[in-house]
Amino acid sequence: MTREDFEELVAEALDRIPPELTRLMDNVAVFVEDEPPAEDPELLGLYEGTPLTERGEWYAGVLPDRITVYRGPTLRMVGGEDGGRDGVVSEVEVTVVHEIAHHFGIDDERLHELGYG
């Protein structure tokens, strides 16, 4: 799958987030990278920033939070499971929702309980 196709899947996953939630997202940007940092080669996505639940009056003039979805590990994981394009679509959606949930202050434990682990 080309990078452009993968980026389109990420955009489509973002489009499926209910508008009432996307309206609440604040100061966050979404990126696609081919590979994660070398110390975590199987990482599918990463949220970097200050969750909405932790922001206070001090939060002003800061760079946007960053959500990154990693193409390489996603394709390798799904390919290893023989998931094909449908598997990639599903995994991208789970990853996007997972990282957006971190933006809203939801931790990994709760996400696993909800099936987005």
Side-chain angles (χ1 to χ4, degrees), residues 7-111:
E7 288 173 348
E8 183 63 30
L9 293 181
V10 171
E12 290 170 5
L14 287 166
D15 288 344
R16 286 191 290 276
I17 302 295
E20 54 271 16
L21 289 180
T22 57
R23 280 192 292 272
L24 297 174
M25 292 173 64
D26 182 48
N27 200 31
V28 61
V30 179
F31 299 90
V32 170
E33 297 289 342
D34 287 329
E35 295 296 333
E39 63 270 7
D40 201 354
E42 296 178 8
L43 187 66
L44 303 181
L46 180 64
Y47 170 75
E48 300 170 285
T50 304
L52 296 175
T53 55
E54 296 177 16
R55 295 180 186 179
E57 291 183 24
W58 59 268
Y59 187 86
V62 299
L63 292 173
D65 292 2
R66 182 180 176 102
I67 291 173
T68 307
V69 180
Y70 297 106
R71 178 175 162 263
T74 303
L75 296 179
R76 287 190 294 275
M77 184 187 84
V78 173
E81 295 174 358
D82 223 8
R85 181 176 172 78
D86 289 343
V88 175
V89 169
S90 177
E91 192 56 51
V92 165
E93 186 167 313
V94 167
T95 301
V96 167
V97 169
H98 181 106
E99 302 311 330
I100 288 173
H102 286 319
H103 177 67
F104 283 102
I106 301 171
D107 65 19
D108 281 329
E109 183 178 334
R110 181 67 178 135
L111 286 168

